[in-house]
Amino acid sequence: MPVVLRAEAIEAGYGALEVLWDVSFAVEDGQCVILFGANGSGKTTLLRALVGLVPVMAGRIELDGVRVERLAPHERVRRGLGYMSELGIFPDLTVHENLEIGARGLSGQQVRRRAQDAYAIFPDLAPRRREVAGRLSGGQRKMLGLAKALMGRPRLLVLDEPSAGLSPRLIKETIAALRHLHGQGLAMLLAEQNISFLELAQYAYVLEGGRVRFSGTVAQLEHNDAVRRAYFGLTGL
Amino acid sequence: MLAYTLVGGLLFGLYFGLVALGLNLVFGVMRLVNLAHGDFLMLGAFAAYWAYQLFGLTPVSALAAEVVIFSALGLALYYAVVPRLLASSDPEMLSFILFFGLSQALQALAVIAFGNNPRSIPATVFGRAPVRILGQAFPAAWMVSGVVSVALVLFVYLYLYHSRLGRATRAVMSSREEAMVSGIDVHRVSAAALGVGLMLAAMAGAFSPFMLGSIEPGMGTAVTTVSFTVTVIGTLGEPLGTVLGGLVYGMSLMLMESYLSSWANLLPYLLLIAIMLVRPAGLLARRARYA
């Protein structure tokens, strides 16, 4: 499988504070990769470095074989990186305007067509298209964030803690939506703490203290007692 | 007397809304206070003055040239200064110092170029006959200023709500970081906002000889104070709220000048203190933040 995203020996941080050391990983075309780790392990910093919100001090990031670590965030997005942050939406814009922003650079007709596709995948959003996004419920915001990120038809969808702030029922709905998207061949990279998302992934990395402590298939992760005890506090998955 | 005060307050309110609109647009997009805002208005006033003196152009005729000159100035200023400012560790504090320095420099340059003497454009440039409303006579220049102010507010509304660049501008105002990772070139959007902001200030300046009295290089500081007051009343970061702030300020000013004229100069400061105590987030602030 061709590699969509490759990160090699990434070091990144905030000013003089280095948070990530020698982090390497890859996402293949159509693959779902999950980054696990406790709060403060560096998951969000790693994703922010990938999309250009945190400067990369050393290492390289390739998107479809092209180095992007020196590009501005909007240039990385235009090269096929879709990113859903924890906020994920523009709270002061309407639902439909959020989708229009996600579809940057397309003609009005193409935007309308893609918005219709988005409303078909996330039917809760359709009747609220003229509502200000900040008034949506937590689950609806998450769906809108996903829909917005998909409007640009990304090569790779990067999601930062999609379960954050959601009830167990909404987490199930989010997983179902992501499974549907992954089933259509979309490559995904998720940073998560919730083990329910493991069912989506084929490959996993575990981060601790800004370093990769484990990498392997999800099956290998599930059978690694040390990882299970150290990071999930579980004796069985 | 009351009819004159109310109509005059409305006309001045529209004008003050225009005066502050650019300041609030720039703040909304960049979260930086342009302390040189009033000095760009002063430059716009002198541009209109010289257009009248040298070519006999009315301030309305001079607006087209001001649009080109000051929007280009805004774009140049943005790329020369702001990206470095935003990359610093404390952009807000640095912006105060930088724009204050720019304000002083513009005033000094204006003194060298134009001298310290107050100047004006005769109000009769728009005709000698006053305009009568509710039985009261108003200078034609006030009416022209009111009409231009409404037209420019409408322009800003259309820009923000019915153009792609405007939608991207509101996205940046909503969340700069989210805009970056949504594929928006925030520097392009911010440069456009500063260009529009300076253009609006300069266009307001073209009418200042009729609305604020004579023009002189030092007028910018007081204009910036009034603009900041109007912006805070209407809510910082809500450009169209500035119109409401302008109307509140204009009405209050006319009421003060009609009934308590010796206190009128205190008005910006009194309103600023009052709004900070009663509704610090401004009249249009939301009850709860969305995120």
Side-chain angles (χ1 to χ4, degrees), chain A residues 130-207:
Chain A
R130 295 197 191 287
E131 268 185 43
V132 173
R135 295 201 185 112
L136 299 179
S137 68
Q140 290 164 345
R141 285 187 198 197
K142 212 58 100 177
M143 294 304 134
L144 177 58
L146 257 179
K148 176 168 80 64
L150 292 170
M151 286 292 283
R153 296 287 189 270
R155 288 274 293 128
L156 171 70
L157 181 61
V158 178
L159 301 108
D160 190 6
E161 302 243 15
S163 71
L166 296 185
S167 66
R169 182 179 64 80
L170 289 173
I171 288 175
K172 277 186 183 171
E173 286 180 16
T174 305
I175 290 173
L178 292 177
R179 190 185 298 113
H180 171 77
L181 296 169
H182 185 47
Q184 294 183 330
L186 179 64
M188 293 195 289
L189 173 65
L190 293 96
E192 255 304 337
Q193 293 189 69
N194 189 317
I195 57 170
S196 311
F197 284 79
L198 267 182
E199 67 175 85
L200 290 170
Q202 291 85 49
Y203 210 84
Y205 293 84
V206 176
L207 283 177

Side-chain angles (χ1 to χ4, degrees), chain B residues 1 5 37-38 64 82 188 209 213 233 247 263-264 285:
Chain B
M1 178 79 160
T5 302
H37 178 78
V82 180
R188 180 171 154 262
I233 294 170
L247 290 172
W263 287 68

Side-chain angles (χ1 to χ4, degrees), chain A residues 10 12-14 19-20 23 25 34-56 61 76 83-87 158-164 189-193 205 207-211, chain B residues 177 181:
Chain A
I10 296 294
Y14 304 89
V19 177
L20 300 174
V23 174
F25 69 94
I34 195 156
L35 292 171
F36 264 112
N39 281 336
S41 61
K43 300 188 302 294
T44 295
T45 303
L46 177 55
L47 297 196
R48 289 169 65 82
L50 289 178
V51 295
L53 293 175
V54 169
V56 172
I61 300 169
R76 300 186 199 195
Y83 179 59
M84 193 181 104
S85 64
E86 273 197 64
L87 174 61
V158 178
L159 301 108
D160 190 6
E161 302 243 15
S163 71
L189 173 65
L190 293 96
E192 255 304 337
Q193 293 189 69
Y205 293 84
L207 283 177
E208 187 198 22
R211 295 177 192 275
Chain B
E177 205 168 81
V181 296

